[in-house]
């Protein structure tokens, strides 16, 4: 495409001065959420290399050494059964992250598809899906999950199964709203006038424009799912013990919060740091992906 | 197609009929009744010709154009009757799949608002390439060349550099040019311009119109101008169709429309243009409101506002009176 002798080629070829490049780089760095990204990287490393990082077996009891305060042998102390809190948090990251990612991919994916397709097409399909969404959103999540898990038994997959419809409903609702507004934009009309088939309009014009929203709700939902999983575990119907789930650990320590605060505090901090980082990261991602904001 | 070929098959390049609309009726079926947005519209567009579709807001101009494209808002609106012949093909009898081959390929449309007619997430090159990929089935380097050619055709400076930029980096006039480039990138035979200049300021508007005219003489494209700007019509159109309450009430070459308008509505429209240098206390305006299309008055729909209404106007819709050539008017005054 390089046109020789074209006047713009000359303008384009002029190098950006080093000083300005540095300044631009610094500005970009300032906008990047470094701390949240570091926390998320650490989380990913924990997930990937849990056996290497953990100092103890997360499910091995050592009753003689229970409620030990943080020390050099147990960085974050031990719990009621003498298990190492640090190792349990490291292993717990696997469960929390796997659970929320699976729910986002399955539930969120379903919600996005339903939201864009029915939102764009409207009519009976749209009405049916929206009534279903309303019905789901009207149910109290914790109560339904409690009943479900009591009936069908404790397991990782049961928790995922019961969370997916709720997440799908949220996604479908928000994405559909967005789709309705995008559907009326002129560029969708232009695409129709251009003779683009429906699936292409949904894929090329609707989906990329709801993407910003999807990114933001996904990061928010991951935080939400971790919290719900924690609540369920706290109530004793989430991830079955002795698996090291963060919410379960908080629940375990609640009786001893005055005498052995570390059992509750550190898993709680892990939840807090993860959820907060995800939200900040999501904000940044949305700004970065929006072509209009990228230039600012 | 099994449709009877009743139309005469003139295939000479210039002056041959490109589009022929016959008795087109598009109704909105509502709970409160039938809204007749387009009620028996017939007109023709010849190869290379510019045709104006003029009327007040709500007279059915836009719905007429959307009907030509078969893109009336579903499920509310329905094309209930009529034929739209594009060369030898009745578009209304085509299956949807084949119809898509016409849209954006043989007939393109430019929208009113350049601010929203481009998708903010794609760069310009990508957007202009979409019809090229879709209809000309060109990809990669060939598509890129086609896009550059289209951008050059609409006089966008430095098209190579502009390709990678996004819509928000373009001014309104430039975006409208990009929209035009998108429409023209597939060499359509018919371009429908739905009030393309309303959101542009006067200088940019003049530039844009000059550009379209240039392109028209270059490619021999026919254009339908949908507008209520009679100045634009005078500049750009060969023929004018004046619409009122979903019908064409007068159709004539542009010179005749301005010199000797036959229908009182056309006359009223022309009178409501301010004339430079002539001082008037108040701008002329047509009394009353356009009729509610759910409840069009019996007879000629214009009679409640017509300064020269007669008894017969209340009773019966006037027949078509030929004014010589293809020109006609629907008015009892002309019939006498």
């Amino acid at each position: 495409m390089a046109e020789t002798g074209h006047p713009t080629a000359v303008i384009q070829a002029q190098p950006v001065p080093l000083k300005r490049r540095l300044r631009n780089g610094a500005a970009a760095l300032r906008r990047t959420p470094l701390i949240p990204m570091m926390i998320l990287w650490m989380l990913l490393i924990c997930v990937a290399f849990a056996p290497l990082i953990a100092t103890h077996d997360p499910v091995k009891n050592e009753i003689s050494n229970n409620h030990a305060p943080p020390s050099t042998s147990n960085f974050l102390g031990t719990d009621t059964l003498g298990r190492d809190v640090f190792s349990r948090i490291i292993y717990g990251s696997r469960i929390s992250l796997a659970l929320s990612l699976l729910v986002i991919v399955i539930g969120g994916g379903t919600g996005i598809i339903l939201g864009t397709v029915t939102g764009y097409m409207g009519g009976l399909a749209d009405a049916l899906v929206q009534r279903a969404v309303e019905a789901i959103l009207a149910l109290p999540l914790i109560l339904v999950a409690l009943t479900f898990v009591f009936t069908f038994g404790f397991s990782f997959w049961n928790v995922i199964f019961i969370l997916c419809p709720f997440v799908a409903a949220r996604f479908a609702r928000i994405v559909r709203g967005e789709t309705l507004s995008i559907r009326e934009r002129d560029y969708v009309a232009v695409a129709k006038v251009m003779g683009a088939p429906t699936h292409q309009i949904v894929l090329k014009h609707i989906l990329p424009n709801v993407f910003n929203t999807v990114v933001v709700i996904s990061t928010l939902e991951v935080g939400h799912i971790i919290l719900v999983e924690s609540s369920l575990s706290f109530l004793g119907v989430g991830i079955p013990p002795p698996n090291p789930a963060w919410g379960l650990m908080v629940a375990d320590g609640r009786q001893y919060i005055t005498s052995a605060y570390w059992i509750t505090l550190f898993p709680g901090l892990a939840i807090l740091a993860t959820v907060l980082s995800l939200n900040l990261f999501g904000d940044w991602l949305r700004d970065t992906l929006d072509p209009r904001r990228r230039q600012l | 197609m099994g449709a009877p070929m009743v139309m005469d098959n003139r295939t000479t390049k210039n002056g041959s009929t490109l589009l022929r609309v016959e008795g087109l009726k598009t109704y909105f079926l509502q709970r409160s009744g039938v809204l007749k947005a387009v009620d028996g519209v017939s007109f023709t567009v010849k190869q290379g010709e510019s045709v104006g579709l003029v009327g007040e807001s709500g007279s059915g101009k836009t719905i007429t154009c959307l009907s030509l494209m078969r893109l009336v808002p579903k499920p509310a609106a329905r094309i209930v009757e009529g034929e739209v012949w594009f060369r030898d093909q009745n578009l209304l009898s085509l299956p949807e799949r084949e119809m898509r081959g016409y849209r954006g390929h043989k007939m393109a449309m430019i929208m009113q608002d350049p601010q929203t007619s481009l998708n903010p997430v794609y760069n310009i090159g990508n957007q202009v390439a979409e019809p090229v990929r879709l209809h000309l089935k060109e990809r990669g380097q060939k598509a890129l060349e086609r896009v550059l050619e289209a951008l050059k055709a609409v006089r966008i400076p430095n098209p190579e550099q502009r390709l990678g930029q996004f819509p928000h980096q373009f001014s309104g006039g430039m975006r409208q040019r990009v929209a035009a480039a998108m429409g023209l990138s597939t060499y359509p035979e018919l371009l429908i311009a739905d009030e393309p200049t309303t959101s542009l300021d006067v200088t940019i508007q003049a530039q844009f119109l000059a550009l379209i005219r240039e392109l028209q003489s270059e490619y021999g494209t026919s254009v339908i101008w949908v507008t209520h700007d009679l100045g634009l019509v005078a500049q750009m159109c060969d023929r004018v169709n004046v619409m009122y309450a979903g019908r064409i009430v007068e159709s004539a070459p542009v010179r005749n429309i301005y010199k000797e308008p036959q229908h009182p509505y056309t006359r009223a429209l022309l009178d409501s243009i301010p004339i430079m240098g002539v001082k008037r206390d108040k701008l002329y305006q047509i009394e009353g409101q356009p009729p509610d299309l759910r409840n069009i008055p019996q007879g000629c729909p214009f009679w409640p506002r017509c300064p020269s209404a007669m008894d017969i106007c209340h009773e019966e819709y006037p027949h078509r009176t030929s004014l010589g050539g293809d020109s006609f008017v629907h008015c009892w005054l002309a019939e006498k």
Side-chain angles (χ1 to χ4, degrees):
Chain A
M1 205 180 70
E3 285 227 330
T4 45
H6 200 281
T8 61
V10 184
I11 300 165
Q12 232 173 353
Q14 263 179 4
V16 184
L18 182 68
K19 217 171 155 188
R20 212 171 96 204
R21 252 192 304 179
L22 281 178
R23 205 161 52 214
N24 289 347
L29 206 63
R30 229 179 302 130
R31 280 192 303 268
T32 316
L34 282 179
I35 296 172
M37 276 164 111
M38 264 156 55
I39 293 176
L40 292 177
W41 270 114
M42 267 161 54
L43 189 72
L44 282 180
I45 291 169
C46 289
V47 169
F49 304 109
L52 297 178
I53 297 166
T55 49
H56 294 71
D57 183 343
V59 292
K60 193 176 155 242
N61 300 349
E62 205 179 324
I63 306 285
S64 57
N65 189 28
N66 75 339
H67 291 188
S71 65
T72 41
S73 59
N74 302 100
F75 298 137
L76 303 178
T78 60
D79 66 6
T80 317
L81 297 175
R83 294 172 298 196
D84 184 44
V85 173
F86 175 70
S87 307
R88 284 177 67 76
I89 289 177
I90 300 295
Y91 272 95
S93 66
R94 286 187 159 181
I95 291 186
S96 297
L97 218 67
L99 182 106
S100 37
L101 287 185
L102 275 171
V103 173
I104 288 289
V105 169
I106 302 170
T110 316
I112 293 166
I113 295 168
L114 285 178
T116 46
V117 173
T118 63
Y120 179 71
M121 300 209 303
L124 186 67
D126 185 40
L128 285 177
V129 168
Q130 285 313 305
R131 292 304 83 73
V133 164
E134 276 155 22
I136 291 173
L137 291 181
L139 295 172
L141 169 57
I142 301 286
L143 204 62
V144 172
L146 265 173
T147 323
F148 181 83
V149 177
F150 269 131
T151 320
F152 294 98
F154 293 66
S155 86
F156 180 73
W157 291 105
N158 275 354
V159 173
I160 288 183
F161 186 83
I162 197 63
L163 284 179
C164 277
F166 285 92
V167 172
R170 271 167 194 273
F171 269 77
R173 154 84 17 122
I174 297 169
V175 166
R176 172 185 177 262
E178 197 83 342
T179 304
L180 289 186
S181 100
I182 292 165
R183 189 177 70 172
E184 302 303 323
R185 305 271 167 89
D186 267 0
Y187 51 80
V188 173
V190 167
K192 269 196 246 174
V193 162
M194 202 194 293
T198 307
H199 64 88
Q200 197 177 325
I201 294 177
V202 172
L203 278 178
K204 281 201 69 179
H205 294 283
I206 308 275
L207 216 51
N209 279 297
V210 299
F211 192 68
N212 289 336
T213 317
V214 165
V215 166
V216 176
I217 42 177
S218 295
T219 51
L220 292 175
E221 279 300 294
V222 168
H224 185 229
I225 292 163
I226 291 179
L227 290 179
V228 170
E229 176 267 317
S230 302
S231 318
L232 289 177
S233 301
F234 184 87
L235 293 169
V237 293
I239 307 302
N243 287 316
W246 290 348
L248 197 59
M249 295 167 72
V250 174
D252 281 347
R254 73 183 185 278
Q255 294 163 28
Y256 313 104
I257 194 146
T258 47
S259 56
Y261 65 88
W262 53 87
I263 308 178
T264 326
L265 177 68
F266 294 114
L269 281 180
I271 297 174
L272 175 76
T274 309
V275 173
L276 196 60
S277 302
L278 278 168
N279 289 358
L280 291 171
F281 181 69
D283 270 358
W284 171 79
L285 204 58
R286 179 199 54 204
D287 291 352
T288 310
L289 292 173
D290 188 339
R292 269 160 305 185
R293 291 183 186 229
R294 197 155 45 194
Q295 310 282 332
L296 298 179
Chain B
M1 287 314 309
M5 294 292 206
V6 279
M7 69 173 290
D8 49 344
N9 226 337
R10 287 174 294 177
T11 41
T12 42
K13 208 49 180 156
N14 229 333
S16 69
T17 303
L18 178 69
L19 184 86
R20 196 165 60 95
V21 181
E22 280 296 337
L24 182 72
K25 290 184 181 181
T26 305
Y27 292 172
F28 283 76
L29 307 172
Q30 296 180 324
R31 219 172 297 170
S32 53
V34 178
L35 189 152
K36 299 178 177 175
V38 179
D39 197 12
V41 161
S42 308
F43 64 96
T44 55
V45 180
K46 294 199 180 86
Q47 172 93 38
E49 195 182 29
S50 286
V51 172
L53 219 51
V54 190
E56 278 167 292
S57 303
S59 56
K61 298 168 299 198
T62 301
I63 297 295
T64 303
C65 288
L66 289 177
S67 303
L68 301 186
M69 289 269 188
R70 275 182 41 193
L71 285 172
V72 292
K74 274 178 194 163
R78 200 171 299 163
I79 301 171
V80 287
E81 223 181 285
E83 291 165 16
V84 177
W85 291 91
F86 191 93
R87 295 216 179 280
D88 298 342
Q89 181 63 58
N90 184 358
L91 297 183
L92 297 187
S93 64
L94 273 179
E96 178 62 24
R97 235 190 118 72
E98 284 176 48
M99 186 62 216
R100 279 208 297 269
Y102 276 83
R103 279 180 213 140
H105 189 190
K106 299 201 170 126
M107 45 207 296
M109 195 161 173
I110 303 180
M111 296 285 175
Q112 205 177 111
D113 187 4
Q115 303 302 321
T116 59
S117 60
L118 298 172
N119 192 334
V121 303
Y122 293 112
N123 63 38
I124 297 307
N126 223 324
Q127 296 203 41
V128 180
E130 202 180 343
V132 177
R133 282 192 288 251
L134 204 61
H135 295 293
L136 306 183
K137 311 280 177 222
E138 283 176 0
R139 285 194 166 63
Q141 194 60 37
K142 271 188 93 182
L144 185 71
E145 277 163 24
R146 190 70 208 92
V147 169
L148 278 176
E149 195 187 321
L151 291 177
K152 277 178 194 153
V154 295
R155 313 284 184 271
I156 286 183
N158 309 336
E160 291 88 352
Q161 212 181 351
R162 295 291 236 167
L163 271 182
Q165 295 189 343
F166 288 86
H168 67 273
Q169 290 163 300
F170 283 69
S171 69
M174 280 294 167
R175 281 191 218 186
Q176 195 60 303
R177 288 182 188 205
V178 173
M182 256 170 102
L184 294 167
S185 61
T186 53
Y187 310 106
E189 292 179 83
L190 177 68
L191 185 68
I192 301 173
D194 188 356
E195 304 191 22
T197 56
T198 33
S199 55
L200 303 180
D201 66 59
V202 188
T203 27
I204 304 299
Q205 186 175 335
Q207 280 177 21
F208 184 76
L209 294 180
L211 177 72
I212 296 285
R213 203 177 348 204
E214 227 171 286
L215 294 172
Q216 214 181 342
S217 63
E218 209 168 309
Y219 296 110
T221 316
S222 309
V223 184
I224 298 180
W225 293 94
V226 178
T227 183
H228 41 235
D229 181 351
L230 289 164
L232 185 153
V233 169
Q235 261 183 68
M236 302 299 295
C237 297
D238 303 317
R239 286 191 74 76
V240 185
N241 295 308
V242 182
M243 282 193 81
Y244 188 78
R247 303 185 205 205
I248 293 179
V249 293
E250 183 169 0
S251 171
V254 67
R255 189 179 295 270
N256 299 11
I257 286 275
Y258 281 83
K259 261 174 119 180
E260 28 193 51
Q262 294 298 314
H263 199 283
Y265 180 61
T266 316
R267 219 171 296 147
L269 277 183
L270 290 169
D271 282 342
S272 54
I273 310 173
I275 301 165
M276 227 199 285
V278 178
K279 208 169 166 198
R280 278 196 272 195
D281 290 342
K282 211 175 155 193
L283 213 51
Y284 175 80
Q285 63 177 52
I286 307 173
E287 290 296 319
Q289 292 287 320
D292 178 4
L293 295 175
R294 267 171 302 221
N295 195 8
I296 299 171
Q298 209 200 341
C300 171
F302 190 58
W303 73 257
R305 305 169 77 187
C306 184
S308 37
M310 303 173 292
D311 285 342
I312 189 161
C313 300
H314 305 209
E315 280 149 27
E316 206 181 326
Y317 188 71
H319 307 296
R320 175 186 166 125
T321 311
S322 178
L323 300 171
D326 291 337
S327 309
F328 64 85
V329 64
H330 285 279
C331 183
W332 289 115
L333 286 174
E335 197 145 315
K336 282 206 287 190

